[in-house]
Amino acid sequence: MDGVLNKRDTYDGGVARAVDQDTRGIIHPAAGFERFTLTRHPPAPDLAWAVDRYWVVRWDLPDGESYEQRILPHPATHLVFEAGTAAIQAISPHDFVAQLTGRGQVFGVKFRPASFRPFLGGPVSTIAGQRLAAAPVLSAASGPGAASNAASDVDEIARVVAAAGDVNACVPAVEAFLRALGVQPLPMTASLNSVVDLIVTDRSVIQVGDLARRLGVNMRKLQRLFADHIGLGPKWVIGRCRVHEAAEAAAGGAAVDWADLAAQLGYSDQSHLIRDFTAAVGTPPDRYSRSTHP
């Protein structure tokens, strides 16, 4: 499995699509972008094994106004700096709701799907669905000589970010902190990242059993590897990626043939797509599309 998947690992170092070309996971993105700005930054080459991207959300709402932004999380764990604190937002099967009021900004590190496992020092499934203080989590798995400083260092970075006029300028400080942790990839890190890349880009991947056979690995072993390194199983990852694509299509403004899209996404029929979409987003896809572009 490892050798086959490493040949497929064509990750280019974290070049992200522009925001207006990739709103996957953001519910009602057009409405959201009227209230906040989102910018993304690729990682330095030496950190591309670990970091997918850095993201920054900034907002400045009038007094008395608030906005609720729902997010359907990606198969990833984040390190989040906000209001002088540092937190680990673990991979989660549940949606996330951000309450925006007044003026604020958040700096996030989105790790590649399997790349937080080395920073955690244990199975990612043990923290799935949780938001945890970053200091104790990162201290537990820091490299030799770095563990004793990790807690104070991450708290210092949180203070630096909180004091910044524009946290987009904080990428170098955050990258210096990540390097200082001394964490290195595990033997399966690149391989499992490649598996998720395959799920995201290849719509023919629709069943866990088919994926396991394609990779030449026992299905139970694949499920154990996902639980250990990614935090949730391959069935959830496949389903979430397909719902992301459907929501992206619905928010695009053009008319969508849902039966055709269901077939493209590997669903046996339109009703199964509607069921999964509604369960994740909270409304059927055609209604979501109309509400996104009234």
Side-chain angles (χ1 to χ4, degrees):
M1 173 180 174
D2 192 37
V4 172
L5 294 181
N6 279 335
K7 293 178 182 178
R8 300 189 63 90
D9 193 357
T10 57
Y11 185 66
D12 62 6
V15 176
R17 284 189 283 171
V19 171
D20 61 358
Q21 298 174 358
D22 184 4
T23 59
R24 289 171 298 166
I26 304 173
I27 300 301
H28 296 298
F33 291 152
E34 293 178 357
R35 277 88 171 184
F36 62 84
T37 62
L38 169 63
T39 53
R40 295 165 172 158
H41 306 275
D46 64 310
L47 290 172
W49 71 268
V51 177
D52 178 86
R53 66 181 64 159
Y54 307 103
W55 53 266
V56 172
V57 173
R58 307 181 75 200
W59 65 95
D60 188 358
L61 300 180
D63 291 343
E65 182 178 326
S66 64
Y67 183 70
E68 182 177 282
Q69 178 62 61
R70 284 186 62 217
I71 302 291
L72 291 182
H74 289 241
T77 291
H78 299 251
L79 168 61
V80 180
F81 297 97
E82 181 177 10
T85 65
I88 300 298
Q89 184 67 57
I91 185 173
S92 177
H94 309 296
D95 63 351
F96 173 77
V97 178
Q99 297 282 352
L100 307 183
T101 58
R103 176 186 297 179
Q105 53 186 351
V106 181
F107 185 105
V109 180
K110 180 186 177 185
F111 290 90
R112 297 202 67 201
S115 292
F116 189 70
R117 172 64 170 83
F119 290 84
L120 179 63
V124 182
S125 59
T126 62
I127 65 168
Q130 300 182 57
R131 187 179 178 94
L132 306 166
V137 174
L138 297 175
S139 295
S142 298
S148 60
N149 298 322
S152 60
D153 287 351
V154 75
D155 289 339
E156 175 59 25
I157 294 297
R159 288 189 286 271
V160 168
V161 171
D166 182 354
V167 296
N168 284 286
C170 293
V171 171
V174 173
E175 292 202 315
F177 165 73
L178 293 174
R179 292 187 185 100
L181 292 176
V183 177
Q184 297 297 319
L186 298 174
M188 292 302 298
T189 299
S191 296
L192 286 166
N193 281 331
S194 294
V195 173
V196 178
D197 288 344
L198 178 64
I199 291 171
V200 171
T201 59
D202 190 340
R203 289 177 170 180
S204 69
V205 178
I206 56 175
Q207 298 291 335
V208 177
D210 293 339
L211 176 63
R213 285 189 291 273
R214 182 167 175 173
L215 300 173
V217 64
N218 178 275
M219 187 164 71
R220 288 192 175 183
K221 180 179 180 180
L222 184 63
Q223 291 169 332
R224 288 195 300 269
L225 286 169
F226 265 66
D228 187 5
H229 292 262
I230 296 171
L232 293 172
K235 180 179 180 179
W236 180 86
V237 173
I238 294 170
R240 175 50 51 88
C241 290
R242 301 302 170 250
V243 169
H244 275 170
E245 289 192 66
E248 187 88 330
V256 179
D257 183 331
W258 294 108
D260 180 63
L261 181 61
Q264 291 182 40
L265 296 178
Y267 284 91
S268 58
D269 54 51
Q270 180 178 345
S271 63
H272 284 81
L273 169 60
I274 293 174
R275 179 199 62 196
D276 288 357
F277 188 104
T278 304
V281 177
T283 187
D286 57 346
R287 187 182 304 169
Y288 175 76
S289 183
R290 291 194 299 270
S291 66
T292 302
H293 297 277

